[in-house]
Amino acid sequence: MTTTVDDALEHGGEFHFFQKQMFFLLSLLSVAFTPIYVGIVFLGFTPDHRCRSPGVAELSLRCGWSPAEELNYTVPGPGPVGEASPRQCRRYEVDWNQSALSCVDPLASLDTNRSRLPLGPCRDGWLYETPGSSIVTEFNLVCANSWMLDLFQSSVNVGFFIGSMSIGYIADRFGRKLCLLTTILINAASGVLMAISPTYTWMLIFRLIQGLVSKAGWLIGFILITEFVGRNYRRTVGIFYQVAFTVGLLVLAGVAYALPHWRWLQFTVTLPNFCFLLYYWCIPESPRWLISQNKNAEAMRIFKHIAKKNGKSLPASLQRLRLEEETGKKLNPSFLDLVRTPQIRKHTLILMYNWFTSSVLYQGLIMHMGLAGDNIYLEFFYSALVEFPAAFMVILTIDRIGRRYPWAASNIVAGAACLASGFIPGDLQWLRIIVSCLGRMGITMAYEIVCLVNAELYPTFIRNLGVHVCSSMCDIGGIITPFLVYRLTNIWLELPLMVFAVVGLVAGGLVLLLPETKGKALPETIEEAENMQRPRKNKEKMIYLQVQKLDIPLN
């Protein structure tokens, strides 16, 4: 008897003890991916700082100044709006060791108007007002070197882009399990090496390597868990795999609060990856991949193991397994298929823009919170909590209301929240937190829905290609976002929010141009994809008869 993998899972258990065990183990990969994706908030925290001036500390000690008096007497005041603050990047060109300086307004003896005193760069480094440390404070990534912090976060997204584009081929060529364990090992080693890096250059190299393998490992975990469960559970399992990422956000906030020094933080969040190497003995190879490699005997052995774990048994008549994709004519997809016809071209462009939007707003809101927040630990924790109701709202609405309207609404809510946040007065911090959480909830919903809808809008033979090409814009957005956030805040702290608002509102409007996919069978041909907005026959009500010629001799 020849049967499909999904048929075998129906006999052996679609989501029972084995699948739940695999889901728990693989979800830990999603939890551990969080510090790499958004760890910049704590690793790259930029505290208040000022130039170090030789002689100021001794003069302050001799005069008995308080910290506030020392700042007032020796540090330039704020500059014009829209320019870098002299307090952070410039210092008075004054010899603070000269004995003529008095303890009461020492600069008055040099010039009654401070604005006429010459200013110079911070030649002797900076003083940072923080009890801990970050890569910013250790490598002085401020003022003229502040772009190096942008580059640090962009490098990990470059790694994401390259890794996610190549992982599909590598996992199909060498197997899910080997690929997963390799990415785990490289990720763990590069994470530890980054924690002990002596220079910024070495730290940047190891962060890039982490980017190359970490998202690839996260994607392999996603592929494995969706291949282990039955077709009726794939969507829910995929959403909850992303919920595990949210759990990682909460854990990261607590660990970062307990470990305010970046090297210890990096080392601590990396260590669990070494434990994941034990998965060699816990997680089997994907039976779907084994069948694709004509290793039916091994696949059958794994299915028997799954059935045994689930307390079920496979029918004795089950002899041969095949993939669902083996039926039908084989076609060779190309990038031109994504833009050749008008409707699919429209779908491709709108999906690419929405992937880009989701990444820019999600990462951008987290980075901006690290710059504008009064207590980044609490605000990071609160904003992460709203991702749980966002996931449940996606599950509750997509099969009742549909995909399009919740997706458009979530983008619009995110954009409107960004717009409103920019004009909330500083003394209404509670209102700012509420609006920020609404924006975070909106963009989280949009992120999860685009993952689902992307596959539903393409015909079978270009579905994987469409998902890979469109989702690659997510990493392009991640490369741009650090420069967008950190450079625009130098002009106006809320300017990035205005950009996010426009991007999010446009994305919400574009979503309404897409067809609704709720209750519709996946398109199999270009023609079906082109006619998705027109009424068509429901495929579930059509009957197909398939005759397969067996090459197994009958006994």
Side-chain angles (χ1 to χ4, degrees):
M1 175 182 178
T2 303
T3 187
T4 66
V5 172
D6 282 328
D7 292 334
L9 285 171
E10 286 181 8
H11 292 294
E14 291 189 285
F15 194 71
H16 291 75
F17 178 77
F18 172 82
Q19 284 86 358
K20 292 173 183 176
Q21 185 183 50
M22 293 300 102
F23 176 75
F24 173 76
L25 293 175
L26 292 170
S27 291
L28 295 178
L29 296 174
S30 191
V31 174
F33 178 56
T34 303
I36 301 173
Y37 196 70
V38 295
I40 185 68
V41 174
F42 304 110
L43 295 175
F45 173 65
T46 304
D48 287 334
H49 52 279
R50 65 182 186 275
C51 292
R52 184 192 302 274
S53 298
V56 167
E58 292 78 3
L59 181 61
S60 178
L61 183 63
R62 176 170 64 85
C63 295
W65 289 337
S66 66
E69 288 175 322
E70 180 181 326
L71 284 174
N72 184 45
Y73 291 148
T74 64
V75 177
V81 176
E83 295 183 10
S85 173
R87 181 182 293 271
Q88 295 180 335
C89 299
R90 307 280 283 175
R91 70 179 188 182
Y92 290 119
E93 294 287 2
V94 171
D95 180 8
W96 295 100
N97 292 310
Q98 57 183 298
S99 57
L101 297 177
S102 67
C103 290
V104 179
D105 197 3
L107 295 178
S109 60
L110 302 177
D111 198 315
T112 55
N113 187 350
R114 287 192 185 186
S115 62
R116 290 199 291 262
L117 290 173
L119 297 176
C122 303
R123 298 187 182 89
D124 299 285
W126 287 263
L127 295 173
Y128 298 95
E129 298 176 15
T130 177
S133 67
S134 69
I135 62 173
V136 171
T137 63
E138 180 162 337
F139 299 109
N140 290 324
L141 308 184
V142 292
C143 300
N145 293 329
S146 59
W147 63 271
M148 298 169 77
L149 178 62
D150 312 3
L151 181 62
F152 173 78
Q153 181 61 12
S154 291
S155 68
V156 77
N157 280 281
V158 170
F160 290 163
F161 177 76
I162 298 172
S164 60
M165 290 295 286
S166 59
I167 195 59
Y169 169 77
I170 296 173
D172 287 342
R173 177 69 178 83
F174 299 103
R176 279 68 160 128
K177 184 174 178 178
L178 176 63
C179 202
L180 177 67
L181 293 171
T182 303
T183 57
I184 288 172
L185 178 61
I186 297 174
N187 186 25
S190 58
V192 170
L193 290 171
M194 176 186 153
I196 60 175
S197 296
T199 65
Y200 170 83
T201 302
W202 281 112
M203 181 187 67
L204 189 69
I205 291 171
F206 291 127
R207 193 60 163 180
L208 174 63
I209 295 173
Q210 272 202 303
L212 285 170
V213 296
S214 58
K215 188 175 182 181
W218 184 87
L219 288 171
I220 296 170
F222 182 86
I223 292 169
L224 270 174
I225 190 56
T226 54
E227 290 185 341
F228 280 137
V229 303
R231 64 165 70 93
N232 296 325
Y233 294 90
R234 283 180 202 147
R235 186 172 60 205
T236 303
V237 162
I239 291 174
F240 277 99
Y241 186 76
Q242 296 178 67
V243 170
F245 178 87
T246 304
V247 174
L249 293 173
L250 302 179
V251 173
L252 177 62
V255 174
Y257 179 78
L259 298 171
H261 297 278
W262 81 269
R263 290 188 184 273
W264 283 110
L265 175 60
Q266 172 66 16
F267 187 72
T268 302
V269 298
T270 300
L271 280 182
N273 288 281
F274 288 101
C275 300
F276 297 150
L277 294 173
L278 298 175
Y279 285 4
Y280 176 83
W281 293 277
C282 303
I283 297 177
E285 181 56 89
S286 166
R288 292 177 184 273
W289 180 78
L290 290 171
I291 295 168
S292 72
Q293 302 298 305
N294 296 318
K295 298 179 179 180
N296 275 269
E298 291 183 48
M300 281 301 304
R301 187 163 58 250
I302 292 174
F303 274 121
K304 289 176 182 177
H305 171 72
I306 293 173
K308 183 179 178 181
K309 281 270 192 179
N310 290 338
K312 296 179 177 291
S313 59
L314 296 176
S317 58
L318 195 153
Q319 298 174 7
R320 286 190 65 224
L321 291 168
R322 64 174 172 81
L323 297 176
E324 295 80 355
E325 294 81 2
E326 287 183 2
T327 59
K329 183 183 177 181
K330 293 288 185 180
L331 296 172
N332 295 318
S334 72
F335 177 76
L336 289 177
D337 292 316
L338 301 179
V339 295
R340 182 177 286 119
T341 55
Q343 290 302 314
I344 293 181
R345 179 167 59 247
K346 182 181 74 174
H347 298 171
T348 298
L349 294 175
I350 293 176
L351 285 168
M352 291 175 73
Y353 180 80
N354 270 270
W355 274 106
F356 176 84
T357 298
S358 296
S359 176
V360 168
L361 265 68
Y362 187 85
Q363 292 193 52
L365 287 175
I366 292 177
M367 290 180 196
H368 187 267
M369 176 180 56
L371 295 174
D374 291 334
N375 187 327
I376 61 170
Y377 303 104
L378 274 179
E379 292 186 22
F380 189 91
F381 185 85
Y382 292 149
S383 62
L385 283 176
V386 303
E387 293 195 12
F388 290 107
F392 285 107
M393 286 178 67
V394 170
I395 294 173
L396 291 174
T397 58
I398 56 175
D399 286 329
R400 291 173 174 82
I401 301 174
R403 280 76 154 140
R404 189 170 56 161
Y405 290 120
W407 187 12
S410 60
N411 273 311
I412 291 171
V413 167
C418 291
L419 184 63
S421 294
F423 298 100
I424 295 176
D427 55 345
L428 295 177
Q429 187 64 19
W430 61 271
L431 181 59
R432 177 183 285 270
I433 292 176
I434 291 174
V435 173
S436 298
C437 287
L438 283 175
R440 180 73 169 274
M441 181 186 293
I443 201 57
T444 300
M445 288 183 63
Y447 222 146
E448 293 180 356
I449 295 175
V450 71
C451 294
L452 168 67
V453 176
N454 198 150
E456 296 179 337
L457 289 173
Y458 286 111
T460 302
F461 83 100
I462 59 170
R463 188 167 294 130
N464 285 336
L465 178 65
V467 171
H468 276 96
V469 170
C470 293
S471 62
S472 67
M473 293 303 297
C474 168
D475 299 318
I476 299 297
I479 295 170
I480 296 172
T481 302
F483 293 95
L484 191 66
V485 173
Y486 296 129
R487 293 312 101 217
L488 293 184
T489 50
N490 286 338
I491 301 173
W492 177 36
L493 186 60
E494 312 301 343
L495 185 56
L497 294 179
M498 301 299 103
V499 176
F500 298 159
V502 174
V503 172
L505 292 172
V506 171
L510 290 175
V511 165
L512 296 175
L513 300 177
L514 294 174
E516 178 57 66
T517 57
K518 170 181 170 284
K520 294 183 179 180
L522 294 176
E524 294 188 358
T525 65
I526 293 284
E527 183 182 3
E528 289 182 5
E530 283 292 303
N531 296 326
M532 287 187 72
Q533 286 184 316
R534 303 173 190 170
R536 66 188 180 104
K537 294 180 181 180
N538 194 338
K539 285 190 63 175
E540 283 75 5
K541 294 181 181 179
M542 300 176 67
I543 300 174
Y544 291 88
L545 179 63
Q546 181 181 12
V547 179
Q548 181 172 6
K549 181 179 179 181
L550 300 180
D551 54 5
I552 301 175
L554 298 175
N555 294 325

